[in-house]
PDB file of all heavy atoms in Angstrom:
ATOM      1  N   TYR R 674     -13.900 -28.652 -59.592  1.00  0.00           N
ATOM      2  CA  TYR R 674     -13.846 -29.371 -58.319  1.00  0.00           C
ATOM      3  C   TYR R 674     -12.860 -30.535 -58.411  1.00  0.00           C
ATOM      4  O   TYR R 674     -12.070 -30.773 -57.495  1.00  0.00           O
ATOM      5  CB  TYR R 674     -15.219 -29.933 -57.948  1.00  0.00           C
ATOM      6  CG  TYR R 674     -16.292 -28.925 -57.683  1.00  0.00           C
ATOM      7  CD1 TYR R 674     -17.624 -29.219 -57.975  1.00  0.00           C
ATOM      8  CD2 TYR R 674     -16.019 -27.692 -57.118  1.00  0.00           C
ATOM      9  CE1 TYR R 674     -18.640 -28.319 -57.729  1.00  0.00           C
ATOM     10  CE2 TYR R 674     -17.016 -26.778 -56.865  1.00  0.00           C
ATOM     11  CZ  TYR R 674     -18.334 -27.093 -57.174  1.00  0.00           C
ATOM     12  OH  TYR R 674     -19.331 -26.198 -56.928  1.00  0.00           O
ATOM     13  N   ARG R 675     -12.943 -31.282 -59.509  1.00  0.00           N
ATOM     14  CA  ARG R 675     -12.108 -32.475 -59.657  1.00  0.00           C
ATOM     15  C   ARG R 675     -10.631 -32.105 -59.684  1.00  0.00           C
ATOM     16  O   ARG R 675      -9.807 -32.739 -59.014  1.00  0.00           O
ATOM     17  CB  ARG R 675     -12.496 -33.221 -60.943  1.00  0.00           C
ATOM     18  CG  ARG R 675     -11.680 -34.485 -61.213  1.00  0.00           C
ATOM     19  CD  ARG R 675     -12.293 -35.281 -62.354  1.00  0.00           C
ATOM     20  NE  ARG R 675     -12.389 -34.492 -63.562  1.00  0.00           N
ATOM     21  CZ  ARG R 675     -11.387 -34.340 -64.432  1.00  0.00           C
ATOM     22  NH1 ARG R 675     -10.214 -34.907 -64.209  1.00  0.00           N
ATOM     23  NH2 ARG R 675     -11.555 -33.614 -65.527  1.00  0.00           N
ATOM     24  N   HIS R 676     -10.288 -31.063 -60.438  1.00  0.00           N
ATOM     25  CA  HIS R 676      -8.886 -30.641 -60.519  1.00  0.00           C
ATOM     26  C   HIS R 676      -8.375 -30.160 -59.159  1.00  0.00           C
ATOM     27  O   HIS R 676      -7.235 -30.438 -58.777  1.00  0.00           O
ATOM     28  CB  HIS R 676      -8.726 -29.534 -61.562  1.00  0.00           C
ATOM     29  CG  HIS R 676      -8.951 -29.994 -62.972  1.00  0.00           C
ATOM     30  ND1 HIS R 676      -8.399 -31.156 -63.459  1.00  0.00           N
ATOM     31  CD2 HIS R 676      -9.646 -29.447 -64.000  1.00  0.00           C
ATOM     32  CE1 HIS R 676      -8.759 -31.309 -64.735  1.00  0.00           C
ATOM     33  NE2 HIS R 676      -9.521 -30.292 -65.075  1.00  0.00           N
ATOM     34  N   THR R 677      -9.231 -29.439 -58.429  1.00  0.00           N
ATOM     35  CA  THR R 677      -8.842 -28.964 -57.094  1.00  0.00           C
ATOM     36  C   THR R 677      -8.595 -30.134 -56.161  1.00  0.00           C
ATOM     37  O   THR R 677      -7.619 -30.145 -55.393  1.00  0.00           O
ATOM     38  CB  THR R 677      -9.934 -28.042 -56.518  1.00  0.00           C
ATOM     39  OG1 THR R 677     -10.095 -26.906 -57.373  1.00  0.00           O
ATOM     40  CG2 THR R 677      -9.565 -27.570 -55.119  1.00  0.00           C
ATOM     41  N   TRP R 678      -9.470 -31.138 -56.212  1.00  0.00           N
ATOM     42  CA  TRP R 678      -9.327 -32.309 -55.355  1.00  0.00           C
ATOM     43  C   TRP R 678      -8.059 -33.094 -55.695  1.00  0.00           C
ATOM     44  O   TRP R 678      -7.307 -33.490 -54.810  1.00  0.00           O
ATOM     45  CB  TRP R 678     -10.555 -33.212 -55.490  1.00  0.00           C
ATOM     46  CG  TRP R 678     -10.468 -34.466 -54.669  1.00  0.00           C
ATOM     47  CD1 TRP R 678     -10.353 -34.556 -53.305  1.00  0.00           C
ATOM     48  CD2 TRP R 678     -10.472 -35.806 -55.152  1.00  0.00           C
ATOM     49  NE1 TRP R 678     -10.298 -35.871 -52.922  1.00  0.00           N
ATOM     50  CE2 TRP R 678     -10.364 -36.654 -54.019  1.00  0.00           C
ATOM     51  CE3 TRP R 678     -10.575 -36.371 -56.420  1.00  0.00           C
ATOM     52  CZ2 TRP R 678     -10.353 -38.053 -54.136  1.00  0.00           C
ATOM     53  CZ3 TRP R 678     -10.562 -37.749 -56.535  1.00  0.00           C
ATOM     54  CH2 TRP R 678     -10.447 -38.584 -55.401  1.00  0.00           C
ATOM     55  N   ILE R 679      -7.804 -33.263 -56.988  1.00  0.00           N
ATOM     56  CA  ILE R 679      -6.604 -33.991 -57.408  1.00  0.00           C
ATOM     57  C   ILE R 679      -5.350 -33.246 -56.972  1.00  0.00           C
ATOM     58  O   ILE R 679      -4.392 -33.847 -56.465  1.00  0.00           O
ATOM     59  CB  ILE R 679      -6.613 -34.219 -58.935  1.00  0.00           C
ATOM     60  CG1 ILE R 679      -7.716 -35.215 -59.312  1.00  0.00           C
ATOM     61  CG2 ILE R 679      -5.250 -34.729 -59.419  1.00  0.00           C
ATOM     62  CD1 ILE R 679      -7.928 -35.369 -60.803  1.00  0.00           C
ATOM     63  N   GLN R 680      -5.333 -31.919 -57.142  1.00  0.00           N
ATOM     64  CA  GLN R 680      -4.165 -31.134 -56.742  1.00  0.00           C
ATOM     65  C   GLN R 680      -3.962 -31.201 -55.234  1.00  0.00           C
ATOM     66  O   GLN R 680      -2.822 -31.343 -54.759  1.00  0.00           O
ATOM     67  CB  GLN R 680      -4.328 -29.674 -57.185  1.00  0.00           C
ATOM     68  CG  GLN R 680      -3.129 -28.797 -56.860  1.00  0.00           C
ATOM     69  CD  GLN R 680      -1.850 -29.306 -57.497  1.00  0.00           C
ATOM     70  OE1 GLN R 680      -1.755 -29.393 -58.723  1.00  0.00           O
ATOM     71  NE2 GLN R 680      -0.850 -29.646 -56.695  1.00  0.00           N
ATOM     72  N   SER R 681      -5.046 -31.128 -54.478  1.00  0.00           N
ATOM     73  CA  SER R 681      -4.925 -31.213 -53.023  1.00  0.00           C
ATOM     74  C   SER R 681      -4.446 -32.596 -52.593  1.00  0.00           C
ATOM     75  O   SER R 681      -3.639 -32.723 -51.661  1.00  0.00           O
ATOM     76  CB  SER R 681      -6.274 -30.904 -52.370  1.00  0.00           C
ATOM     77  OG  SER R 681      -6.671 -29.576 -52.627  1.00  0.00           O
ATOM     78  N   THR R 682      -4.905 -33.632 -53.270  1.00  0.00           N
ATOM     79  CA  THR R 682      -4.447 -34.992 -52.974  1.00  0.00           C
ATOM     80  C   THR R 682      -2.975 -35.133 -53.316  1.00  0.00           C
ATOM     81  O   THR R 682      -2.209 -35.770 -52.578  1.00  0.00           O
ATOM     82  CB  THR R 682      -5.280 -36.023 -53.751  1.00  0.00           C
ATOM     83  OG1 THR R 682      -6.669 -35.855 -53.435  1.00  0.00           O
ATOM     84  CG2 THR R 682      -4.859 -37.447 -53.401  1.00  0.00           C
ATOM     85  N   GLU R 683      -2.553 -34.523 -54.424  1.00  0.00           N
ATOM     86  CA  GLU R 683      -1.133 -34.545 -54.793  1.00  0.00           C
ATOM     87  C   GLU R 683      -0.293 -33.851 -53.720  1.00  0.00           C
ATOM     88  O   GLU R 683       0.810 -34.311 -53.383  1.00  0.00           O
ATOM     89  CB  GLU R 683      -0.934 -33.871 -56.148  1.00  0.00           C
ATOM     90  CG  GLU R 683       0.493 -33.954 -56.675  1.00  0.00           C
ATOM     91  CD  GLU R 683       0.627 -33.418 -58.089  1.00  0.00           C
ATOM     92  OE1 GLU R 683      -0.229 -33.762 -58.935  1.00  0.00           O
ATOM     93  OE2 GLU R 683       1.586 -32.658 -58.348  1.00  0.00           O
ATOM     94  N   ASN R 684      -0.811 -32.760 -53.167  1.00  0.00           N
ATOM     95  CA  ASN R 684      -0.100 -32.071 -52.083  1.00  0.00           C
ATOM     96  C   ASN R 684       0.045 -32.974 -50.859  1.00  0.00           C
ATOM     97  O   ASN R 684       1.075 -32.957 -50.172  1.00  0.00           O
ATOM     98  CB  ASN R 684      -0.839 -30.793 -51.703  1.00  0.00           C
ATOM     99  CG  ASN R 684      -0.816 -29.739 -52.797  1.00  0.00           C
ATOM    100  OD1 ASN R 684       0.027 -29.794 -53.707  1.00  0.00           O
ATOM    101  ND2 ASN R 684      -1.730 -28.803 -52.738  1.00  0.00           N
ATOM    102  N   ILE R 685      -0.991 -33.759 -50.577  1.00  0.00           N
ATOM    103  CA  ILE R 685      -0.950 -34.683 -49.438  1.00  0.00           C
ATOM    104  C   ILE R 685       0.068 -35.791 -49.686  1.00  0.00           C
ATOM    105  O   ILE R 685       0.815 -36.181 -48.780  1.00  0.00           O
ATOM    106  CB  ILE R 685      -2.355 -35.257 -49.168  1.00  0.00           C
ATOM    107  CG1 ILE R 685      -3.245 -34.157 -48.571  1.00  0.00           C
ATOM    108  CG2 ILE R 685      -2.286 -36.470 -48.234  1.00  0.00           C
ATOM    109  CD1 ILE R 685      -4.703 -34.551 -48.437  1.00  0.00           C
ATOM    110  N   VAL R 686       0.120 -36.301 -50.912  1.00  0.00           N
ATOM    111  CA  VAL R 686       1.106 -37.331 -51.250  1.00  0.00           C
ATOM    112  C   VAL R 686       2.523 -36.765 -51.119  1.00  0.00           C
ATOM    113  O   VAL R 686       3.425 -37.411 -50.565  1.00  0.00           O
ATOM    114  CB  VAL R 686       0.870 -37.878 -52.676  1.00  0.00           C
ATOM    115  CG1 VAL R 686       2.015 -38.808 -53.097  1.00  0.00           C
ATOM    116  CG2 VAL R 686      -0.468 -38.621 -52.747  1.00  0.00           C
ATOM    117  N   ALA R 687       2.720 -35.538 -51.589  1.00  0.00           N
ATOM    118  CA  ALA R 687       4.030 -34.895 -51.462  1.00  0.00           C
ATOM    119  C   ALA R 687       4.396 -34.705 -49.994  1.00  0.00           C
ATOM    120  O   ALA R 687       5.556 -34.869 -49.592  1.00  0.00           O
ATOM    121  CB  ALA R 687       4.023 -33.547 -52.186  1.00  0.00           C
ATOM    122  N   LEU R 688       3.400 -34.380 -49.178  1.00  0.00           N
ATOM    123  CA  LEU R 688       3.627 -34.230 -47.740  1.00  0.00           C
ATOM    124  C   LEU R 688       4.015 -35.573 -47.120  1.00  0.00           C
ATOM    125  O   LEU R 688       4.880 -35.630 -46.228  1.00  0.00           O
ATOM    126  CB  LEU R 688       2.368 -33.679 -47.078  1.00  0.00           C
ATOM    127  CG  LEU R 688       2.418 -33.419 -45.568  1.00  0.00           C
ATOM    128  CD1 LEU R 688       3.508 -32.406 -45.227  1.00  0.00           C
ATOM    129  CD2 LEU R 688       1.058 -32.932 -45.067  1.00  0.00           C
ATOM    130  N   ALA R 689       3.391 -36.650 -47.598  1.00  0.00           N
ATOM    131  CA  ALA R 689       3.727 -37.990 -47.104  1.00  0.00           C
ATOM    132  C   ALA R 689       5.188 -38.315 -47.375  1.00  0.00           C
ATOM    133  O   ALA R 689       5.882 -38.910 -46.540  1.00  0.00           O
ATOM    134  CB  ALA R 689       2.820 -39.034 -47.752  1.00  0.00           C
ATOM    135  N   VAL R 690       5.665 -37.921 -48.530  1.00  0.00           N
ATOM    136  CA  VAL R 690       7.078 -38.126 -48.856  1.00  0.00           C
ATOM    137  C   VAL R 690       7.962 -37.278 -47.939  1.00  0.00           C
ATOM    138  O   VAL R 690       8.973 -37.747 -47.404  1.00  0.00           O
ATOM    139  CB  VAL R 690       7.351 -37.778 -50.335  1.00  0.00           C
ATOM    140  CG1 VAL R 690       8.856 -37.853 -50.641  1.00  0.00           C
ATOM    141  CG2 VAL R 690       6.570 -38.715 -51.254  1.00  0.00           C
ATOM    142  N   LYS R 691       7.542 -36.052 -47.719  1.00  0.00           N
ATOM    143  CA  LYS R 691       8.317 -35.120 -46.895  1.00  0.00           C
ATOM    144  C   LYS R 691       8.494 -35.615 -45.464  1.00  0.00           C
ATOM    145  O   LYS R 691       9.578 -35.484 -44.874  1.00  0.00           O
ATOM    146  CB  LYS R 691       7.632 -33.746 -46.900  1.00  0.00           C
ATOM    147  CG  LYS R 691       8.349 -32.683 -46.081  1.00  0.00           C
ATOM    148  CD  LYS R 691       7.579 -31.364 -46.132  1.00  0.00           C
ATOM    149  CE  LYS R 691       8.244 -30.304 -45.264  1.00  0.00           C
ATOM    150  NZ  LYS R 691       7.483 -29.020 -45.283  1.00  0.00           N
ATOM    151  N   VAL R 692       7.438 -36.210 -44.885  1.00  0.00           N
ATOM    152  CA  VAL R 692       7.501 -36.641 -43.487  1.00  0.00           C
ATOM    153  C   VAL R 692       7.991 -38.081 -43.348  1.00  0.00           C
ATOM    154  O   VAL R 692       8.060 -38.611 -42.237  1.00  0.00           O
ATOM    155  CB  VAL R 692       6.141 -36.479 -42.783  1.00  0.00           C
ATOM    156  CG1 VAL R 692       5.663 -35.043 -42.849  1.00  0.00           C
ATOM    157  CG2 VAL R 692       5.089 -37.435 -43.361  1.00  0.00           C
ATOM    158  N   GLY R 693       8.319 -38.716 -44.483  1.00  0.00           N
ATOM    159  CA  GLY R 693       8.831 -40.081 -44.428  1.00  0.00           C
ATOM    160  C   GLY R 693       7.769 -41.153 -44.411  1.00  0.00           C
ATOM    161  O   GLY R 693       8.066 -42.329 -44.174  1.00  0.00           O
ATOM    162  N   ALA R 694       6.517 -40.789 -44.689  1.00  0.00           N
ATOM    163  CA  ALA R 694       5.447 -41.776 -44.742  1.00  0.00           C
ATOM    164  C   ALA R 694       5.455 -42.535 -46.065  1.00  0.00           C
ATOM    165  O   ALA R 694       4.842 -43.601 -46.181  1.00  0.00           O
ATOM    166  CB  ALA R 694       4.092 -41.095 -44.540  1.00  0.00           C
ATOM    167  N   LEU R 695       6.129 -41.985 -47.066  1.00  0.00           N
ATOM    168  CA  LEU R 695       6.365 -42.651 -48.342  1.00  0.00           C
ATOM    169  C   LEU R 695       7.842 -42.496 -48.689  1.00  0.00           C
ATOM    170  O   LEU R 695       8.476 -41.522 -48.274  1.00  0.00           O
ATOM    171  CB  LEU R 695       5.500 -42.034 -49.450  1.00  0.00           C
ATOM    172  CG  LEU R 695       4.011 -42.394 -49.467  1.00  0.00           C
ATOM    173  CD1 LEU R 695       3.288 -41.573 -50.531  1.00  0.00           C
ATOM    174  CD2 LEU R 695       3.802 -43.887 -49.720  1.00  0.00           C
ATOM    175  N   PRO R 696       8.398 -43.429 -49.461  1.00  0.00           N
ATOM    176  CA  PRO R 696       9.816 -43.336 -49.836  1.00  0.00           C
ATOM    177  C   PRO R 696      10.121 -42.071 -50.629  1.00  0.00           C
ATOM    178  O   PRO R 696       9.259 -41.539 -51.337  1.00  0.00           O
ATOM    179  CB  PRO R 696      10.039 -44.591 -50.701  1.00  0.00           C
ATOM    180  CG  PRO R 696       8.929 -45.521 -50.328  1.00  0.00           C
ATOM    181  CD  PRO R 696       7.758 -44.654 -49.971  1.00  0.00           C
ATOM    182  N   LYS R 697      11.361 -41.603 -50.538  1.00  0.00           N
ATOM    183  CA  LYS R 697      11.762 -40.386 -51.247  1.00  0.00           C
ATOM    184  C   LYS R 697      11.646 -40.528 -52.762  1.00  0.00           C
ATOM    185  O   LYS R 697      11.446 -39.539 -53.470  1.00  0.00           O
ATOM    186  CB  LYS R 697      13.195 -40.020 -50.863  1.00  0.00           C
ATOM    187  CG  LYS R 697      13.344 -39.512 -49.440  1.00  0.00           C
ATOM    188  CD  LYS R 697      14.772 -39.086 -49.148  1.00  0.00           C
ATOM    189  CE  LYS R 697      14.908 -38.546 -47.718  1.00  0.00           C
ATOM    190  NZ  LYS R 697      16.292 -38.121 -47.402  1.00  0.00           N
ATOM    191  N   GLN R 698      11.791 -41.753 -53.258  1.00  0.00           N
ATOM    192  CA  GLN R 698      11.745 -41.971 -54.709  1.00  0.00           C
ATOM    193  C   GLN R 698      10.325 -42.188 -55.238  1.00  0.00           C
ATOM    194  O   GLN R 698      10.129 -42.550 -56.403  1.00  0.00           O
ATOM    195  CB  GLN R 698      12.628 -43.163 -55.105  1.00  0.00           C
ATOM    196  CG  GLN R 698      12.179 -44.519 -54.557  1.00  0.00           C
ATOM    197  CD  GLN R 698      12.760 -44.837 -53.191  1.00  0.00           C
ATOM    198  OE1 GLN R 698      13.031 -43.924 -52.406  1.00  0.00           O
ATOM    199  NE2 GLN R 698      12.981 -46.109 -52.924  1.00  0.00           N
ATOM    200  N   THR R 699       9.310 -41.944 -54.402  1.00  0.00           N
ATOM    201  CA  THR R 699       7.914 -42.122 -54.810  1.00  0.00           C
ATOM    202  C   THR R 699       7.567 -41.211 -55.985  1.00  0.00           C
ATOM    203  O   THR R 699       7.915 -40.023 -55.996  1.00  0.00           O
ATOM    204  CB  THR R 699       6.960 -41.803 -53.633  1.00  0.00           C
ATOM    205  OG1 THR R 699       7.189 -42.757 -52.587  1.00  0.00           O
ATOM    206  CG2 THR R 699       5.510 -41.874 -54.062  1.00  0.00           C
ATOM    207  N   ASP R 700       6.896 -41.778 -56.981  1.00  0.00           N
ATOM    208  CA  ASP R 700       6.368 -40.992 -58.098  1.00  0.00           C
ATOM    209  C   ASP R 700       5.076 -40.328 -57.610  1.00  0.00           C
ATOM    210  O   ASP R 700       4.035 -40.988 -57.493  1.00  0.00           O
ATOM    211  CB  ASP R 700       6.083 -41.902 -59.301  1.00  0.00           C
ATOM    212  CG  ASP R 700       5.670 -41.120 -60.543  1.00  0.00           C
ATOM    213  OD1 ASP R 700       4.910 -40.144 -60.409  1.00  0.00           O
ATOM    214  OD2 ASP R 700       6.093 -41.500 -61.649  1.00  0.00           O
ATOM    215  N   ILE R 701       5.135 -39.049 -57.315  1.00  0.00           N
ATOM    216  CA  ILE R 701       4.011 -38.355 -56.677  1.00  0.00           C
ATOM    217  C   ILE R 701       2.786 -38.304 -57.585  1.00  0.00           C
ATOM    218  O   ILE R 701       1.654 -38.528 -57.136  1.00  0.00           O
ATOM    219  CB  ILE R 701       4.449 -36.943 -56.233  1.00  0.00           C
ATOM    220  CG1 ILE R 701       5.466 -37.053 -55.090  1.00  0.00           C
ATOM    221  CG2 ILE R 701       3.233 -36.121 -55.789  1.00  0.00           C
ATOM    222  CD1 ILE R 701       6.058 -35.736 -54.661  1.00  0.00           C
ATOM    223  N   VAL R 702       2.990 -38.034 -58.860  1.00  0.00           N
ATOM    224  CA  VAL R 702       1.860 -37.931 -59.794  1.00  0.00           C
ATOM    225  C   VAL R 702       1.167 -39.283 -59.954  1.00  0.00           C
ATOM    226  O   VAL R 702      -0.070 -39.377 -59.881  1.00  0.00           O
ATOM    227  CB  VAL R 702       2.326 -37.391 -61.158  1.00  0.00           C
ATOM    228  CG1 VAL R 702       1.185 -37.443 -62.173  1.00  0.00           C
ATOM    229  CG2 VAL R 702       2.828 -35.959 -61.017  1.00  0.00           C
TER     230      VAL R 702
END
């Protein structure tokens, strides 16, 4: 469960970068 949640959260952070909600140089991990 924990790994799935972390991976899904990482996907959300990557999406934030994609839509410009976070800077392009954001360290996603």
Side-chain angles (χ1 to χ4, degrees):
Y674 296 149
R675 180 170 57 84
H676 292 314
T677 299
W678 178 61
I679 291 172
Q680 182 59 61
S681 296
T682 303
E683 185 173 315
N684 293 341
I685 288 172
V686 172
L688 181 60
V690 174
K691 180 181 177 181
V692 302
L695 284 174
K697 289 183 179 180
Q698 65 271 30
T699 296
D700 186 320
I701 292 175
V702 173

